Amino acid sequence: SENPSTVIWISSVQGSLSLPSRSAYSASKFAVAGFCDSLRAEWSDWCNVVAVSPGYVNTNLSVNAATGVVGKTHGKVDDTTKNGIDPSNLADIVVERVERGDRRSELKINWDLKTRIAVFLKFASPTTLMKIMASRHRKNKRPLHHFPQQQARG
């Protein structure tokens, strides 16, 4: 028999694919995906657990994103985020899918072709993907991680 209840967690495509300069966010979304995997097994007798993994969503997330420089934030909405799905539309899609009985463990919503290829490469050729991501990082000229210099001990 099918479980009548569904628990929905909001993850992200970044729970499947890490992006340069978004390490903390990606780590948190990977954690949500792992947590959902565990809960799915533990709660399987009484409910469904679904991780919603949208592509870009039009929010202010990137405004407060860390840049890698201690204490600095990105301070603007990225174009990819600005062109993302509206949060209300995303919520409507999720509710509609769950109400019609979609029992997939992960709902991938608004993933463009580049995202799908990148996630495929993560498993098919992880070295290739990391080269692409490193190149993207260098192209954006975002500092990797700048920590305050430690005093030399003498």
Side-chain angles (χ1 to χ4, degrees):
S1 68
E2 297 224 4
N3 296 321
S5 302
T6 300
V7 176
I8 301 169
W9 289 80
I10 304 298
S11 184
S12 169
V13 67
Q14 289 187 52
S16 300
L17 178 69
S18 302
L19 294 181
S21 302
R22 298 290 189 263
S23 55
Y25 183 77
S26 291
S28 72
K29 295 308 180 177
F30 269 84
V32 168
F35 188 58
C36 286
D37 287 346
S38 293
L39 291 180
R40 202 170 290 114
E42 294 169 13
W43 295 356
S44 64
D45 291 337
W46 61 275
C47 78
N48 298 304
V49 176
V50 176
V52 177
S53 298
Y56 289 104
V57 179
N58 187 351
T59 67
N60 288 328
L61 177 72
S62 61
V63 172
N64 295 314
T67 63
V69 177
V70 175
K72 291 228 174 206
T73 59
H74 189 59
K76 66 178 184 172
V77 176
D78 293 329
D79 288 339
T80 50
T81 301
K82 195 181 302 176
N83 294 321
I85 189 171
D86 179 79
S88 295
N89 291 348
L90 174 62
D92 290 343
I93 291 168
V94 171
V95 168
E96 187 270 328
R97 286 190 183 179
V98 170
E99 284 181 345
R100 79 167 188 233
D102 192 330
R103 295 292 181 236
R104 285 180 282 182
S105 58
E106 182 181 25
L107 297 180
K108 298 172 182 166
I109 299 170
N110 198 40
W111 285 28
D112 61 14
L113 182 60
K114 281 174 35 176
T115 300
R116 292 176 188 277
I117 291 169
V119 171
F120 172 79
L121 280 175
K122 179 182 174 189
F123 296 100
S125 183
T127 303
T128 301
L129 178 63
M130 286 304 109
K131 287 179 182 176
I132 292 167
M133 291 300 185
S135 174
R136 175 181 171 167
H137 182 74
R138 284 189 295 276
K139 179 181 148 200
N140 290 332
K141 297 180 182 167
R142 293 180 178 154
L144 185 53
H145 286 289
H146 292 278
F147 295 99
Q149 295 291 328
Q150 292 185 352
Q151 297 293 326
R153 296 182 189 193

